[in-house]
Amino acid sequence: MTAGRGRTGRPPLTEERKTEIRLQIARAAVDLFVTQGVAATTGEQIGEAAGVSARTVWRYFPSKESCVRPLLTAGIELLAAALRRWPPGRPLTEALDFDEDPGSGDRLLAGPDGADVGALVRLTRTEPGLRAVWLQMHDEAEPAFARALADRAGLPADDLRPAVQAAMFNAALRAAVEHHAWHTAGADPGAAADPAPARARLATALREALTVAAAGLG
C-alpha cells in the first residue's frame, strides 16, 4: 500500500493575511473613489491598485462600494472597549479619553496607514452606495456598543436602557464625524503636514455631540 501524496499548492492564508488583503483593497478603493469617483472605478482597477486580481477583490467583497468596509469598521471594537472603561459617574465626554489619548478621536477618521477616511465620509453625501455602507456600519456597531454599556452597568444584554444609550452614542458619533468631515473639506491645506489642528477640531466636535447626547431631549 503506497502512502498518499502530500498536499500540493499554496498553503491556506492565515486570518491575519486575509485581514491585510482586505485592508489593501480598502485603501486602494478609497484612493480611487476620491480621485476619480465611484462610477468611474472598476473592480479591475481596485485589484490592480491593491496588487491583487479582480477575482480576489470579488472573493472578499460583494460590490465595489463594500470594499471600504474594513476602514469604516476598524474603530468599532476600540470604541466598545472605551465604553467598558468609562468610569461610573463621569461625563460621557470622558468615555473616549480625549485628554489622556489625544489620538482617540483621530482614529475615527484615520484608517490604517493614513487612509483618508475623512474624504470617504465626505463622499457618502453624494454616493448612495457608499452612504449605504456607512449607515450599515453604524447599524452593526450599535449592538456592540449596547453590549459594552450593559457590561459596564452590570445589566442583562437585552436590557432596554443600554440599547437606548447605545443608539444615542452611535448617533452622536456619526453626526460628529460627518459634521467634521463635511466642514473641513479643503479648509486647511497644511493638514497633511500637521494633522494636530484637524485632530483638535474633531475632538471638539465629538465632545459637543456627546454632551448633547448626554443632555437628552430636554
Side-chain angles (χ1 to χ4, degrees):
M1 185 174 183
T2 59
R5 289 186 296 178
R7 181 173 178 173
T8 60
R10 295 180 181 177
L13 295 176
T14 65
E15 288 304 314
E16 182 179 0
R17 178 55 184 152
K18 290 178 181 178
T19 298
E20 290 174 355
I21 293 173
R22 289 188 184 96
L23 287 173
Q24 286 174 223
I25 295 171
R27 289 192 290 266
V30 170
D31 287 343
L32 288 168
F33 292 163
V34 169
T35 57
Q36 66 184 37
V38 176
T41 299
T42 66
E44 288 73 16
Q45 289 175 327
I46 294 173
E48 182 178 359
V52 300
S53 67
R55 182 178 178 181
T56 297
V57 172
W58 303 133
R59 182 183 304 131
Y60 285 102
F61 301 101
S63 68
K64 59 185 177 182
E65 291 88 351
S66 67
C67 290
V68 305
R69 279 182 56 86
L71 295 180
L72 296 178
T73 60
I76 292 176
E77 282 306 315
L78 177 76
L79 291 167
L83 288 175
R84 291 188 185 94
R85 294 193 306 268
W86 175 27
R90 302 302 302 166
L92 179 58
T93 53
E94 293 186 10
L96 298 186
D97 297 326
F98 295 114
D99 295 325
E100 294 183 15
D101 181 9
S104 60
D106 186 51
R107 283 193 290 273
L108 294 174
L109 277 184
D113 297 340
D116 191 357
V117 182
L120 175 59
V121 172
R122 287 190 285 274
L123 277 177
T124 65
R125 175 173 270 184
T126 56
E127 296 286 354
L130 293 180
R131 184 69 176 172
V133 173
W134 172 240
L135 294 177
Q136 182 181 12
M137 183 274 291
H138 277 279
D139 186 61
E140 294 172 357
E142 203 162 293
F145 297 156
R147 287 192 298 270
L149 289 166
D151 290 345
R152 172 182 178 268
L155 294 170
D158 60 352
D159 193 278
L160 178 61
R161 286 166 290 180
V164 173
Q165 292 170 339
M168 295 172 63
F169 179 77
N170 197 21
L173 284 175
R174 181 172 63 83
V177 172
E178 290 180 351
H179 179 88
H180 173 81
W182 294 339
H183 287 79
T184 57
D188 187 359
D194 182 11
R199 282 200 299 264
R201 287 193 294 271
L202 176 57
T204 298
L206 287 166
R207 282 195 186 96
E208 183 178 354
L210 293 177
T211 298
V212 172
L217 301 176

